[in-house]
Amino acid sequence: MYEHLRNDYNDFTFPDNVILYCDPSQPSSGVPHRKESKLNDFFQLPQRLGWTFHENGDRFRDSGAAGIDHVTQRWLYFEVLAQVFGHLPEYSWEDFVKEDRSGMRYITTKDLPKYLERWLDSEKKSEANQRKSRLIRIQQVLDKTRLYVSQHCAVPSSKDKASWEVNDLLALSFMILGETLTRALSLIQKKLGFRIEGWCSHDSRNQGWGYSKLILHKLDEDGWCPKAIHMLQALLRGNSIGLVYLFTLRSSSSKGPGHKQCTATVCKEMETHKNQGGSGPARYHYCESTTSDFCSKPEYTGGQVQTPPNCKTDADAGRSIDGRKLADIINRGSIPLLLYRRAKRDLQVVEMNQSFDKSYAIFSHVWTDGFGSLDDTNVTTLCVLDMFSKMLERVAVQRFGNKSAVPELFWIDFLAIQQRNSTQYSYTIVLDLSLMKTTVGRGYSNPAMKITMCRWMTQLWNLQEAVLSKNLFFCFSDRMFPMTQLEEMFPEEDSELQSCIPSLARIYYSGILGEVRPKIHEEFRKNQGWITQTNFLALVWKAAQWRSTADPIHETLSLATMLNQDTDFFTTPAESEEGTDEHQQECDDRMVELLSRFAAMSPCPIPPGMIFLPGPRLCKKGYGWAPRSWLSSHEIESQDPLSYPTEGTHG
């Protein structure tokens, strides 16, 4: 069923043997399989098999007609193959059937990549009118098949039931074949420069064929967080192949026993850490006696890392910085940086003012992973500081070939809270325990999907740090992996006709505004700022909607920073307690202030489609059209109200 994706799935095993219910050798459509089928053959086939299907889900079976598994496999699988490949002289349905030792026959996609390449070659050699007619017909068939499969064979959750009583494994085979052919058609159209004015060609926004009940049930059994599944279903836009690929991820913070009480809208594990004070009682320790790589040994269970028993460093030993000096730097409007000399075990705070000309690095992490300071102080363990120092050295060796180029200065929020718009730092190191417990893996899709699924991608502050970073390094157990190297691998992998996985795994890239980050840094270098335009604001909303903050009051501060607004108004401490009506009113007032600034700009960057966004609205007069929060965690339908091209997102 997915043999054509074996290179992507590697050693992944999943139920694959879909029984051959029908007999494809019977020319029920009136046309032999070895000749190119016509469009009417596809639409008339169910009736010739004794069935009538309607788009609303109604179906009628003639007396004596074969079962629904038989007819749908013959129609939505083999007839689709005939419609796509029937014009090829060498096409045979037998290439999509295998037989085991007992004589049982199953469907197979082992030869699908070969057929896709032959299809592309034939279109390159065909006459323009013939190619145009065939590609339009194939798209019509795929569109109609997708409608039936996504609406009547797919389900929104594992607890739902599909309107057609099709075998779950068979339904999944329709989705995998359909998504693969849709992807291939899109690439072939692109490679051939095929475009007809007024004709809607396939693109990355309409490739999904719905979600399989089998896959969603398997994710539940595997312990995945329901909120993470809900988020991915929205981001993957109905693409079952993307969900199947999740099973290749051996380690993820989004699965495990800690997620048993989670719902589609609330991650209880995250709430537990928040109620415990942010990072929980256990601390992260890095010890040379435990491992030579970062976090390949300490046990990670439910967001907590236990102290290794042979830790060289006393768990109570740590270093702190001068709180008064830190406060003075922040009050002067400067950025506090940190200087740690490992040999002397000395930690100092350094002021970055307007005359400051040294580069520095940033550590971007997740509070619940335990990298933070001890209790509510700005004290952190020496072994963590040692780890930071060695990470800086490792990146310097990768970038420049020697340790002498390592920046001595760094910034991390739990020791030096204040951060303003600045792109003077050399790079950002991303720390996420689910990444630090696993290797990079091979190819593009494996590390990219791991990044997409890590908890670092769910925090709003991390988005701000990523957007303002010129260079990102993701810390895996075996190496520090630069985003630039990862993205260099994407074009080649994404050019393969048989796999849509690279483009699905690239969700992380749009999730950190990868398309516009270079433009931000270029404009900051020229103008010490950037112009917020409609497209950019829409992209920020899309990247922020599935993220969260420890306190709702922080949302507008982070958004104002990313959208290049003065942040003084938003840094004022809240006067009310979180969770109260008064606190919500303070949050609303800050959102109104942010939107008012945009409304006063010319041209106004607020997208017209914002009035259609999901979530509760602001109660203030004149702002009832605007959502209270951009962190809505709501699924957006295929007709995205903030759909803008990524080109020209800045002035």
Side-chain angles (χ1 to χ4, degrees):
M1 177 170 59
Y2 56 75
E3 291 96 335
H4 65 291
L5 298 173
R6 285 298 184 189
N7 288 336
D8 294 303
Y9 291 150
N10 199 10
D11 59 348
F12 165 67
T13 57
F14 193 82
D16 169 74
N17 289 328
V18 182
I19 295 174
L20 185 66
Y21 293 97
C22 65
D23 183 2
S25 65
Q26 296 296 319
S28 303
S29 63
V31 181
H33 270 276
R34 293 182 182 274
K35 293 184 179 180
E36 186 171 5
S37 296
K38 299 185 182 302
L39 188 59
N40 284 340
D41 300 330
F42 174 80
F43 290 107
Q44 294 173 3
L45 177 58
Q47 290 182 320
R48 292 178 178 175
L49 294 174
W51 282 77
T52 301
F53 292 95
H54 296 287
E55 291 184 3
N56 64 2
D58 292 342
R59 62 257 181 233
F60 302 96
R61 178 183 181 182
D62 294 345
S63 176
I68 194 169
D69 289 338
H70 174 106
V71 68
T72 53
Q73 186 179 67
R74 179 68 178 81
W75 178 36
L76 303 178
Y77 198 89
F78 284 100
E79 183 61 26
V80 169
L81 287 172
Q83 290 284 334
V84 175
F85 301 126
H87 66 285
L88 301 175
E90 62 273 27
Y91 169 70
S92 170
W93 63 266
E94 294 174 341
D95 290 335
F96 295 91
V97 175
K98 63 183 179 181
E99 187 173 309
D100 65 14
R101 294 179 179 178
S102 67
M104 282 292 294
R105 295 198 298 174
Y106 306 92
I107 63 173
T108 176
T109 59
K110 180 174 63 71
D111 289 336
L112 184 56
K114 176 177 64 178
Y115 271 101
L116 293 173
E117 292 297 334
R118 290 172 179 171
W119 177 21
L120 173 60
D121 290 340
S122 73
E123 299 299 357
K124 288 179 178 178
K125 299 173 183 177
S126 64
E127 296 180 357
N129 287 337
Q130 187 182 38
R131 179 195 309 143
K132 174 181 175 181
S133 174
R134 182 164 46 242
L135 291 181
I136 289 178
R137 173 178 54 77
I138 290 174
Q139 182 164 330
Q140 287 179 306
V141 168
L142 292 178
D143 285 346
K144 184 60 68 172
T145 308
R146 177 179 178 271
L147 184 148
Y148 284 121
V149 172
S150 63
Q151 293 191 8
H152 307 305
C153 300
V155 294
S157 76
S158 60
K159 298 178 178 61
D160 293 304
K161 184 179 180 180
S163 59
W164 290 358
E165 302 84 359
V166 175
N167 176 277
D168 290 336
L169 197 56
L170 180 60
L172 178 59
S173 72
F174 301 157
M175 297 167 192
I176 290 179
L177 177 65
E179 288 169 5
T180 301
L181 294 177
T182 303
R183 155 74 177 178
L185 175 62
S186 176
L187 275 183
I188 288 174
Q189 289 174 338
K190 184 177 180 181
K191 289 176 182 289
L192 298 178
F194 179 80
R195 186 176 182 85
I196 301 176
E197 196 67 31
W199 180 260
C200 178
S201 297
H202 285 285
D203 60 24
S204 60
R205 290 173 294 178
N206 59 6
Q207 289 182 352
W209 282 48
Y211 293 119
S212 158
K213 184 180 179 70
L214 185 69
I215 294 295
L216 294 173
H217 180 68
K218 180 65 176 174
L219 288 171
D220 289 343
E221 283 187 336
D222 218 30
W224 283 82
C225 174
K227 183 176 181 180
I229 296 175
H230 175 64
M231 177 190 74
L232 277 170
Q233 285 181 265
L235 295 175
L236 292 173
R237 297 295 180 92
N239 207 304
S240 270
I241 289 179
L243 284 186
V244 173
Y245 190 72
L246 293 183
F247 293 101
T248 66
L249 305 182
R250 307 291 183 189
S251 174
S252 174
S253 58
S254 293
K255 67 177 181 178
H259 295 285
K260 286 185 177 180
Q261 303 302 318
C262 299
T263 68
T265 56
V266 178
C267 177
K268 295 292 186 180
E269 187 189 50
M270 293 291 288
E271 279 197 345
T272 299
H273 293 311
K274 180 179 176 181
N275 294 334
Q276 290 175 342
S279 54
R283 310 307 310 160
Y284 177 83
H285 285 258
Y286 165 75
C287 311
E288 286 185 271
S289 59
T290 306
T291 173
S292 59
D293 285 308
F294 306 128
C295 196
S296 60
K297 287 287 183 180
E299 292 299 320
Y300 174 55
T301 56
Q304 299 298 314
V305 180
Q306 304 302 324
T307 305
N310 55 348
C311 181
K312 282 185 176 181
T313 304
D314 184 349
D316 295 325
R319 291 291 182 271
S320 64
I321 57 178
D322 187 334
R324 180 175 297 179
K325 184 176 181 180
L326 174 65
D328 289 342
I329 292 174
I330 293 174
N331 291 334
R332 287 194 291 271
S334 300
I335 297 177
L337 301 179
L338 302 169
L339 174 62
Y340 178 66
R341 293 187 173 92
R342 191 165 75 239
K344 298 181 179 180
R345 294 290 177 88
D346 179 48
L347 178 66
Q348 298 178 19
V349 61
V350 177
E351 180 175 1
M352 176 183 174
N353 51 32
Q354 291 184 349
S355 61
F356 188 88
D357 61 354
K358 295 182 179 180
S359 62
Y360 64 99
I362 280 181
F363 287 99
S364 180
H365 69 111
V366 180
W367 276 83
T368 55
D369 280 348
F371 294 108
S373 53
L374 300 173
D375 302 320
D376 294 325
T377 67
N378 62 352
V379 178
T380 193
T381 57
L382 286 171
C383 55
V384 169
L385 291 171
D386 288 346
M387 180 186 73
F388 290 166
S389 177
K390 292 179 181 181
M391 285 179 172
L392 294 174
E393 288 180 356
R394 182 176 291 191
V395 173
V397 170
Q398 286 186 218
R399 294 185 71 198
F400 307 109
N402 62 80
K403 296 180 181 179
S404 61
V406 61
E408 291 185 318
L409 299 165
F410 67 93
W411 180 92
I412 190 166
D413 56 1
F414 66 81
L415 287 175
I417 296 173
Q418 182 78 352
Q419 184 189 10
R420 302 205 174 183
N421 290 353
S422 173
T423 55
Q424 193 166 344
Y425 44 89
S426 297
Y427 52 83
T428 293
I429 295 176
V430 174
L431 306 178
D432 183 286
L433 282 178
S434 64
L435 298 182
M436 296 170 72
K437 272 188 65 66
T438 185
T439 59
V440 170
R442 63 191 184 91
Y444 176 86
S445 300
N446 199 275
M449 188 63 87
K450 289 173 182 175
I451 294 170
T452 293
M453 287 305 304
C454 75
R455 185 169 286 155
W456 179 82
M457 288 290 296
T458 68
Q459 306 300 301
L460 186 60
W461 289 113
N462 297 145
L463 172 61
Q464 172 191 322
E465 292 161 351
V467 169
L468 300 179
S469 299
K470 287 180 286 189
N471 299 290
L472 282 173
F473 283 79
F474 295 95
C475 182
F476 288 85
S477 66
D478 53 345
R479 56 179 158 150
M480 308 291 288
F481 200 50
M483 190 182 81
T484 52
Q485 181 179 340
L486 179 62
E487 286 305 308
E488 286 172 357
M489 302 162 66
F490 175 73
E492 181 177 355
E493 282 199 26
D494 194 49
S495 64
E496 297 179 358
L497 291 174
Q498 76 271 17
S499 178
C500 58
I501 291 176
S503 60
L504 296 175
R506 208 182 188 215
I507 290 172
Y508 94 91
Y509 188 70
S510 57
I512 57 174
L513 306 187
E515 301 91 342
V516 298
R517 286 173 62 254
K519 297 178 182 179
I520 290 176
H521 300 134
E522 178 62 20
E523 291 183 16
F524 194 94
R525 184 184 66 80
K526 292 179 179 178
N527 309 313
Q528 291 299 300
W530 57 92
I531 301 172
T532 298
Q533 292 189 346
T534 301
N535 296 12
F536 180 54
L537 192 146
L539 290 172
V540 170
W541 181 86
K542 291 179 184 180
Q545 66 164 322
W546 293 100
R547 297 176 183 263
S548 61
T549 59
D551 187 330
I553 205 75
H554 298 156
E555 177 184 348
T556 46
L557 172 58
S558 182
L559 293 176
T561 303
M562 284 186 285
L563 296 167
N564 197 33
Q565 300 296 305
D566 183 85
T567 58
D568 287 346
F569 175 83
F570 305 101
T571 57
T572 307
E575 297 179 357
S576 55
E577 185 177 349
E578 183 184 354
T580 63
D581 292 341
E582 292 78 9
H583 196 73
Q584 181 61 60
Q585 186 59 53
E586 285 193 74
C587 294
D588 289 354
D589 291 342
R590 297 187 185 209
M591 182 60 73
V592 167
E593 171 65 22
L594 184 62
L595 294 173
S596 298
R597 295 185 183 187
F598 296 143
M601 296 171 63
S602 180
C604 175
I606 298 176
M610 184 170 278
I611 64 175
F612 301 111
L613 293 180
R617 324 310 278 180
L618 290 169
C619 297
K620 187 175 179 62
K621 184 178 180 180
Y623 290 87
W625 52 269
R628 267 184 165 178
S629 171
W630 292 20
L631 315 182
S632 59
S633 297
H634 283 275
E635 183 174 355
I636 294 297
E637 300 298 330
S638 58
Q639 295 301 317
D640 192 336
L642 296 188
S643 180
Y644 281 90
T646 57
E647 297 297 324
T649 52
H650 285 72

